[in-house]
Amino acid sequence: MTQDMSQVTRTKNGRPVHHWRRDLVELAALFTAVAVADAVANLIGHGPDGPALLVISAIVLVATAGFHTWWSRRHGHAPPTGDTGTRPTAAARKAGASEADATAPEALAGETVLWRMRTTVRDEPGSLAALCVALAEQRVDILSLQTHPLAEGTVDEFLLRAPAPVAASDVTRAVSRAGGTGTWIERADAHDLVDAPTRVLGLATRTALDAAELPLALRQLLGRCTIRSLPAGSVRGERAGEEAPVEGALEDTVMRLRAPEGGVITVERPYLPFTPTEFARVRALVELDARLGPRVPRSQDVLTLPQGSDITVRRADADDLDAAKAMHERCSQRTLSLRYHGPVGDADTYLNHLLSPHFGRTLAVQTASGRIVGLGHLLWDGDETEIALLVEDDWQRRGIGGELLGRLVTMAIETGCESVYAVTQSSNTGMVATMRGLGLPLDYQIEEGTLVITARLDAAPVSSGLPYDEIERYEPEHSVRD
């Protein structure tokens, strides 16, 4: 241990640091002062000009003291009085932070931020300890740690709390010097404070209650990623592509799994490769969904239209296929062409896809006689979310479209979507007016007569007249506004 290190150690432990050179100098100064005082006393007591010399000595002494005081104030090198370098007393430690601590620079810089970080280390003793030491040197606190074993090495996933002045680049450089490779870091939030087992159990519960939650659960489990569900065949019966193996496939940044209803679920995360641990978790969720089969929450709301008719708004699924086809038959060709943007004869072929909970959520509007007169779809489209509406001709302009749209946007907000878009024709003034009725910022894009309206959901939450997910709630007094 060097002399400087021993001094630092004694200071941290609250013991004063002594210097033998300074003690020697002080002793020499003391002897010199005694000798000078004795000489002055002899000179004053035995010399003829003793009183004059005494007055002159007093004046010189006062002048010297004044000069020393001025010089010390102007060129002082003393340490701050609030930081003596020693350990606080036991009473101060028990009392906690004092008023002096509140005004210290450390208190001003007490704000912290959360980070999620991944890095690959060698699978050998001491590699994780080196990372912990490197993070501690940056005053970074490790809140949680998950390990993802690989064939060569281990991926360590950290949830970190760091002082706000510490940048992400400072953390990654420290980790790199400690042996971490392929380091990735991004900001985290309070949701990441939930430990991994609790989060996975919560996602499994949501998936068990509603099949439409599977893509959302996968996205929350894996972070920012693109999830696409490709059906086994197209609407005309052709194959959509190569099927995934029964056990699934993991290819660096892409996962491919067999969907419960056939087809393929593709998960992509280009910025960060998947680990075998993540692949196993995803496969377990997909297998759980397949074992439980099709399911949607059986909740419904009874609403009263301004004209006096009662309607029921509820979730729809593949069991409503025949009723949806019957509604198509009652719709005019113009209404179907505005909704499906293609040959009217192919409208029925889209319903299997639209009513499947694995591709999104569907709301149905049902009359007192049991007929479906309106459908609203919230469709997962990779990183984006599409909204689509269809209302039977005889039931249009009664506020049904606005009610469906408000509920679908509420669902999108609750699932964390940043925006939703609707594809229609520029001549569809009814759909344009319904989107404008949301009161949200809208973006319009027109290409060859096709209008894409995008609503940004970060401005203000939009809620429907009634919650869509309460079980068996009936309120016939509620009315839908035009």
Side-chain angles (χ1 to χ4, degrees), residues 60-98:
V60 172
L61 182 61
V62 171
T64 304
F67 176 78
H68 179 269
T69 303
W70 172 81
W71 182 266
S72 299
R73 290 180 178 178
R74 180 161 183 163
H75 303 282
H77 300 282
T81 57
D83 181 13
T84 61
T86 61
R87 184 175 56 179
T89 62
R93 292 195 300 271
K94 292 180 180 179
S98 62

Side-chain angles (χ1 to χ4, degrees), residues 213-278:
E213 290 287 334
L214 178 62
L216 305 176
L218 295 180
R219 185 169 298 167
Q220 291 191 17
L221 179 65
L222 302 172
R224 291 181 292 111
C225 61
T226 301
I227 301 175
R228 292 185 174 87
S229 296
L230 305 177
S234 68
V235 295
R236 297 183 181 275
E238 297 101 356
R239 303 298 295 175
E242 182 182 357
E243 292 187 355
V246 176
E247 67 279 3
L250 172 59
E251 302 171 357
D252 198 27
T253 60
V254 179
M255 293 186 196
R256 296 172 60 249
L257 301 104
R258 183 169 296 184
E261 73 284 351
V264 178
I265 297 176
T266 303
V267 186
E268 299 182 17
R269 190 174 63 187
Y271 68 94
L272 185 64
F274 294 113
T275 65
T277 302
E278 290 178 312

Side-chain angles (χ1 to χ4, degrees), residues 13 16-17 93 121 126 153 161 174 204 210 233-234 238 298 306 448:
N13 291 333
V17 180
R93 292 195 300 271
V121 298
R161 178 187 286 122
D210 188 354
S234 68
E238 297 101 356
R298 296 301 177 183
E448 299 179 357

